[in-house]
Amino acid sequence: MCNLYNLTTTRDAVVEFTKAMADKAGWNEPSLNVYPNTLAPIVRVGDDGNREIVSATWGMPTPPAFVKGKADRGVTNIRNVGSPHWRRWLGPTSRCVVPFTSFAEPDPASKEEGGRVPNAWFAQNPDRPLMFFAGFWTPWKGVRKVRDGEQEYELYGFLTTTPNEIVKPIHEKAMPAILTTPEEVDLWLTGEWADVKHLQRPLPGNMLVLVEPPANPKDDDLLL
């Protein structure tokens, strides 16, 4: 399960790729590691019909039957779009794209005795060009952390699919659904579900490689 990704690019690059007309995130970090339940930039269609960059919290609402305790920590990766819980967000008004340049999967096979499980990192190629996860977003009011109490949030998560031959040796169950062209981004943000559901597919093996971990951003860069 992808629970860590990195964004090493510029705001201008995201704007140019997605044709975003407004930046409401105020994001312009040189390198951003994104973890569950933290803020990160997404691109969506705003109320005025124009695309906008906003900050949202990673982790969509959990199906109620799976919420344990008083806090809902959220669901980062979404696979079963046939579930009634997820069907409400399949329309274009609830879709977004999530910019990234590399993503991580835990790699237990590389764990050294006494050490932590390391991550394997993946990118389109060693230059780590900008790509996007096919995502969903929603406003939500609830408890993410008990100490913070009930608050209002904008949440996001992204689709996963069958892993390709590059990811499967590391994580055999799933990989993110990834968009690599402006045309795919356009379709995901505007098309009806019947016209976009084919984008929940693995990238071809020749479009993904293993890379070294990204340069560690400063601690202050971990949160927007």
Side-chain angles (χ1 to χ4, degrees):
M1 178 181 295
C2 176
N3 275 327
L4 170 62
Y5 65 92
N6 177 267
L7 179 59
T8 301
T9 188
T10 66
R11 177 174 51 203
D12 289 346
V14 174
V15 167
E16 181 178 358
F17 199 113
T18 64
K19 304 181 182 70
M21 300 295 291
D23 175 15
K24 297 181 180 179
W27 157 81
N28 202 21
E29 308 291 340
S31 180
L32 179 69
N33 278 343
V34 184
Y35 297 88
N37 217 22
T38 60
L39 287 167
I42 65 171
V43 180
R44 68 186 182 192
V45 177
D47 292 337
D48 61 359
N50 293 317
R51 296 177 191 179
E52 58 187 19
I53 305 173
V54 300
S55 290
T57 300
W58 187 15
M60 290 285 280
T62 305
F66 296 98
V67 176
K68 299 179 181 180
K70 296 180 180 179
D72 180 356
R73 297 289 293 175
V75 177
T76 55
N77 296 190
I78 299 155
R79 179 75 175 268
N80 181 17
V81 293
S83 163
H85 180 74
W86 300 118
R87 284 204 299 263
R88 74 192 82 178
W89 293 304
L90 296 184
T93 57
S94 296
R95 285 191 228 126
C96 66
V97 294
V98 184
F100 78 100
T101 49
S102 58
F103 71 91
E105 297 285 4
D107 184 11
S110 298
K111 181 180 180 296
E112 296 182 359
E113 187 175 355
R116 295 181 177 181
V117 174
N119 286 312
W121 285 86
F122 303 89
Q124 188 173 6
N125 61 51
D127 293 332
R128 305 175 198 239
L130 178 61
M131 298 191 288
F132 294 83
F133 299 125
F136 304 102
W137 77 276
T138 188
W140 183 77
K141 185 176 182 180
V143 178
R144 300 294 284 200
K145 297 179 181 179
V146 173
R147 68 174 181 266
D148 294 338
E150 187 177 68
Q151 297 186 24
E152 293 186 354
Y153 297 86
E154 289 191 333
L155 306 177
Y156 76 95
F158 49 76
L159 279 178
T160 61
T161 185
T162 306
N164 65 15
E165 61 267 37
I166 307 302
V167 176
K168 190 172 184 178
I170 306 296
H171 191 267
E172 65 180 13
K173 293 184 178 180
M175 67 173 288
I178 297 171
L179 312 176
T180 62
T181 68
E183 291 76 17
E184 289 178 341
V185 167
D186 289 345
L187 182 60
W188 181 255
L189 290 177
T190 63
E192 295 303 318
W193 179 247
D195 299 321
V196 305
K197 62 182 181 180
H198 70 279
L199 294 172
Q200 188 182 16
R201 79 286 181 257
L203 280 186
N206 63 356
M207 294 184 68
L208 207 63
V209 298
L210 282 161
V211 294
E212 293 296 317
N216 288 329
K218 296 178 182 178
D219 290 344
D220 291 344
D221 291 335
L222 294 179
L223 295 176
L224 292 175

